[in-house]
Amino acid sequence: MDGAKLEGKTVAEHIVDFLERREVKHVFGLCGHTNIAVLAALAESPIDFVTVRHEQIASHAADAYARVTGTASVVLSHLSPGLTNCATGVANAALDCIPMVVIAGDIPTHYYGKHPHQEVNLHADAAQWEIYRPFVKRAWRVDRADLMAEILEKAFHLAESGQPGPVLVNVPMDIFSEVIPLDSFDRIRDNTRALKKPSIDDETAREIIEALAQADNPVAYVGGGILLAQASEELREFVEHMGLPVAHSLMGKGALRDDHPLVLGMTGFWGTELVNQSCLNADYIFAVGTRFKEADCSSWYPGYTFNIPGSKVIHIDIEPQEIGRNYPTEIGVVADAKAALRVLNRVAREMYPDGFKRPALEQKIADFRTDFKARNVEMATSSAFPMMPERILADTRKALPEDAIITTDVGWNKNGVGQQFDILTPGSILTPGGFATMGFGPPGAIGAKLAAPDRVVISLVGDGGFGQNPSMLATAVELDLGIIWLVMNNNAFGTIAGLQKAHYGLTYGTTFPGSAAAPANGPGYADIARAYGAEGHRLSAADELLPALEAAIASGKPTVLDVPMINNPTPTTGHWNILDIYSPDKDVSHVAT
Ligand SMILES: Cc1ncc(C[n+]2csc(CCOP(=O)(O)OP(=O)(O)O)c2C)c(N)n1
Ligand SMILES: [Mg+2]
């Protein structure tokens, strides 16, 4: 050790100490000349650095990791192209309210504005941090080493509190290497690491219970806020006591197990008739942890998913901006879902000890499920090859244990999964809801597996989505992560191909050459997997899928299953406003192929 190290430590070393004290176990990222001081400090730490081949993989993996652990994940990025590569995953996390702290290296402070290597300086000097402003909760450029302790602490607090989300701590590389006193972080050492969350008062709770008790057709409508607050148990207790049927947004999927007798299903574009009709007929909508966004509300057109006004809205959310944004709200409450539901459960039991039972409603839900399954059975058992998407989903559900973690991408794997794939453990589906990012699922599975190594992790992904980030296989193989990537290969950006066909009668720029059965020039995903050192299998008959999945689970090896699939759109009873943009005055259905 040299003399300077005896009296101080570099900022990079302090940062790593701080992360250790916060019990961070993994940092996701990619190197560059601006962040190797941090990597050198990480090399001496029990924290594992998960190195990737593209920064988007780091941010998607970190996003999924935070979804599973429930705490802020950490990304370490290089400057400029590293940070912009990383941006899509950070924005994806932001739109789904996922806590994340991105630490990025930047040009040295003494070269601000001189155009040092890779500086972003077109509108302001050393301005790369501003690129993140529209999607992070806050971006800091750290211009003085002695501010690092309090900025890092604020960064974690902000990422995890209120409506969670990513933050950026942008650090000029000379600051990482500055030596500061050993006690520089002492003043924050004894601060609490977690903040208490806001709840609801008894008076408002009574008002809500009374409104729901008097309602004829109340419906609970829940979103990802339930899962972020880890409030599934409190939700279950409340809806069972009040006899409320439960509709959910895409992000709210799995808030209650899908086979719970009160679950209606996912609303919106890809909702079923039961859920959309139940919401339309509701006199009260009891909404928790949701933002009523377009896809979940059939573009807010009356008559498809919600009929508001008409139905009255009670809305509980941690973020005031979400309340009343799209629909008039009768009672709005800013509160954490878990804290609020705890109070509501206590007050409901005080006011109505016997609770409410709606056997006719439960029967209606059960009948619909039986009927839906019966209507789907032909497709769900079809031996057609390329396979029917319904059969792929049915066989996958059969092969997986109840607590398997499923990452989706966008396409059939998200819309069809939201509609007809039962999630049986809260928080076990990770989906890119707000940003709908093609390419999220495969690297997301890496983060999920690192966070929950003992659980089966599968990425359901389209061929388009898999093509976005195949180099994530390098990381999975290096870390020997037994993940399964099931490529639902319809040889197309199928979801968009379906829309284009419906409105323009063609598929130009939306399908790939060749066919799903015999891709003339298409990539061989199984070959790609094997080239990276993973297992890779291309299926040649529908009956091969279930055994292939079982074998992949049993092997515990990283495995890509390339599954040829018919390019049929996900059926829907909802509505999407783009119909009126592309085909005004025509009765075009997005179900058409
Ligand atoms: C990064 C990104 N680019 C483009 C889109 C628009 N988009 C939505 S679905 C889709 C097609 C996805 O294709 P694939 O992964 O093969 O799934 P499929 O629709 O065929 O089931 C595209 C391009 C997007 N959501 N994200
Ligand atoms: Mg596809």
Side-chain angles (χ1 to χ4, degrees), residues 93-410:
L95 272 283
D96 286 346
C97 312
I98 306 303
M100 183 188 289
V101 176
V102 181
I103 300 173
D106 200 353
I107 58 143
T109 48
H110 45 271
Y111 282 158
Y112 280 4
K114 290 177 177 292
H115 209 85
H117 191 49
Q118 297 178 293
E119 182 186 24
V120 174
N121 57 11
L122 282 83
H123 291 269
D125 297 340
Q128 68 168 16
W129 62 281
E130 295 193 37
I131 298 170
Y132 271 43
R133 277 174 63 169
F135 50 82
V136 291
K137 288 183 82 176
R138 185 162 171 186
W140 283 269
R141 188 179 69 182
V142 184
D143 288 340
R144 280 176 38 179
D146 62 339
L147 296 177
M148 183 55 89
E150 66 193 64
I151 288 176
L152 265 187
E153 166 140 292
K154 280 191 273 192
F156 273 86
H157 269 330
L158 192 63
E160 288 180 348
S161 60
Q163 192 177 49
V167 296
L168 172 68
V169 180
N170 184 88
V171 189
M173 58 181 288
D174 54 318
I175 289 190
F176 276 141
S177 292
E178 205 170 314
V179 175
I180 55 173
L182 285 173
D183 63 359
S184 302
F185 276 56
D186 283 3
R187 53 182 287 253
I188 58 157
R189 196 184 279 260
D190 296 329
N191 274 355
T192 176
R193 286 212 299 268
L195 303 179
K196 298 274 179 241
K197 312 219 157 150
S199 185
I200 187 176
D201 57 282
D202 279 28
E203 199 182 334
T204 311
R206 277 194 292 276
E207 202 185 330
I208 291 173
I209 306 286
E210 201 46 35
L212 294 175
Q214 299 307 324
D216 293 323
N217 291 311
V219 170
Y221 171 58
V222 301
I226 293 285
L227 295 156
L228 287 168
Q230 299 179 339
S232 288
E233 221 12 65
E234 290 78 1
L235 173 70
R236 188 189 56 72
E237 200 181 321
F238 187 68
V239 298
E240 284 178 1
H241 190 76
M242 297 301 295
L244 297 178
V246 181
H248 59 78
S249 66
L250 172 69
M251 292 303 291
K253 187 166 175 72
L256 278 193
R257 347 175 2 127
D258 275 319
D259 60 357
H260 186 286
L262 286 168
V263 170
L264 296 163
M266 179 176 81
T267 61
F269 296 168
W270 296 284
T272 62
E273 205 181 325
L274 173 73
V275 61
N276 283 336
Q277 283 302 325
S278 302
C279 290
L280 285 170
N281 294 334
D283 50 355
Y284 262 98
I285 304 278
F286 171 68
V288 189
T290 188
R291 41 171 59 147
F292 288 101
K293 69 184 170 54
E294 188 195 4
D296 301 313
C297 300
S298 294
S299 295
W300 308 288
Y301 276 39
Y304 285 93
T305 294
F306 292 109
N307 216 349
I308 308 169
S311 315
K312 292 181 172 169
V313 175
I314 299 166
H315 193 174
I316 301 176
D317 202 278
I318 191 77
E319 172 54 52
Q321 288 186 82
E322 304 298 352
I323 297 171
R325 189 210 296 262
N326 291 315
Y327 289 125
T329 303
E330 191 179 69
I331 306 175
V333 181
V334 176
D336 172 66
K338 190 179 186 85
L341 283 165
R342 269 194 197 142
V343 173
L344 284 163
N345 278 326
R346 173 174 51 76
V347 172
R349 273 164 215 285
E350 285 163 16
M351 291 174 71
Y352 295 97
D354 298 334
F356 298 81
K357 283 269 164 278
R358 296 179 214 267
L361 172 85
E362 290 191 19
Q363 193 55 50
K364 191 173 159 195
I365 296 174
D367 290 348
F368 177 84
R369 283 186 193 158
T370 313
D371 185 52
F372 187 85
K373 285 213 163 82
R375 272 185 283 142
N376 244 14
V377 76
E378 205 179 312
M379 292 178 289
T381 56
S382 164
S383 48
F385 194 83
M387 291 184 72
M388 300 297 286
E390 289 84 353
R391 167 102 193 247
I392 297 178
L393 297 188
D395 282 9
T396 302
R397 184 65 277 177
K398 245 181 257 166
L400 295 180
E402 286 201 355
D403 72 341
I405 299 176
I406 296 111
T407 70
T408 87
D409 209 77
V410 295

Side-chain angles (χ1 to χ4, degrees), residues 14 16-24 185-186 188-189 193:
H14 274 294
V16 172
D17 286 352
F18 172 88
L19 297 179
E20 280 177 26
R21 280 199 299 279
R22 275 203 82 96
E23 292 166 25
V24 169
F185 276 56
D186 283 3
I188 58 157
R189 196 184 279 260
R193 286 212 299 268

